[in-house]
Amino acid sequence: MTEIRQHLPLSRAKALPAWTLLAAGAVTGGLLGGAYGVVKSPTYTATSYVIAVPTDKADSATALGFAQAYGRVATQLAVLGDAQVWAGVPVKTLQSSVQTATSPDAPMVAVTATSSRADLAADMANAVSRSLTVHANDAKADTHVELQTFARAIKPTAPTSASAAVTGLVGASAGGLLGGLLLLVRPRRTTDETGRPASVPSPATAADVL
């Protein structure tokens, strides 16, 4: 009796239609993904831009080179130390929330900040851009390149993080994929497990024995 009970779950798994695993995985994944999108705090992103302008003693190529250098030092402690005062957040928050990007064709630096608050994202981006501009212009007499504000970051009106609908779709896709993988490794039914009663051989006749 114990052996029969142990084989019951296996038999039931074999008897399930193939589409049930896919459907169950997709529904479960969709519910989990949607719940994650609802519970997770939204993320806002704001970007400010500064541009390197050559003086009379420099050219555009020099400005482009210094823009690349400024993009690398914008997230260094020397710049963030002043930016924390204007942003009103610790340096560690700026280090984890601010990123910079430069272009190989234009002498421009993009400073992007992310936060769960829309106003704070804009404040951090503008604070780092301001601090970078001050530090760069302190050495303008030596570099012959001036850093100017090109566009200030504005308070974002919508979050950039994925909505609950998007996370739900992603979860449903992942759940369906997992269900498909389980379908591949699911034990298959054999001809002896079709539920038909086993045939009993009839008694041999005298002619068969001879």
Side-chain angles (χ1 to χ4, degrees):
M1 180 66 68
T2 303
E3 184 177 357
I4 295 176
R5 289 179 179 177
Q6 291 177 350
H7 286 285
L8 277 177
L10 183 61
S11 300
R12 291 177 179 176
K14 294 178 181 179
L16 288 175
W19 60 268
T20 55
L21 287 176
L22 296 176
V27 171
T28 303
L31 292 176
L32 293 177
Y36 174 78
V38 172
V39 174
K40 183 183 177 183
S41 301
T43 301
Y44 296 89
T45 302
T47 303
S48 61
Y49 299 90
V50 294
I51 187 170
V53 180
T55 62
D56 296 338
K57 297 181 180 181
D59 53 16
S60 58
T62 303
L64 180 60
F66 274 102
Q68 302 290 330
Y70 291 147
R72 289 190 291 269
V73 303
T75 54
Q76 300 300 315
L77 186 59
V79 176
L80 299 183
D82 293 337
Q84 69 173 340
V85 178
W86 297 317
V89 296
V91 172
K92 289 184 178 180
T93 302
L94 293 175
Q95 289 176 330
S96 61
S97 304
V98 176
Q99 296 180 342
T100 60
T102 57
S103 171
D105 304 319
M108 188 174 295
V109 182
V111 180
T112 302
T114 58
S115 175
S116 58
R117 289 171 42 194
D119 58 338
L120 185 56
D123 290 342
M124 289 192 296
N126 289 327
V128 173
S129 296
R130 178 182 176 183
S131 179
L132 178 62
T133 301
V134 171
H135 280 270
N137 291 339
D138 286 343
K140 181 175 60 174
D142 298 324
T143 62
H144 307 294
V145 173
E146 181 181 5
L147 203 59
Q148 299 178 358
T149 300
F150 183 80
R152 287 178 54 85
I154 60 175
K155 179 181 176 181
T157 58
T160 54
S161 55
S163 63
V166 174
T167 56
L169 289 176
V170 173
S173 300
L177 178 61
L178 181 59
L181 294 177
L182 292 176
L183 183 62
L184 293 177
V185 300
R186 187 186 68 162
R188 301 182 180 277
R189 299 178 62 182
T190 60
T191 55
D192 295 334
E193 298 173 337
T194 56
R196 292 179 301 179
S199 59
V200 180
S202 57
T205 62
D208 294 334
V209 172
L210 294 178

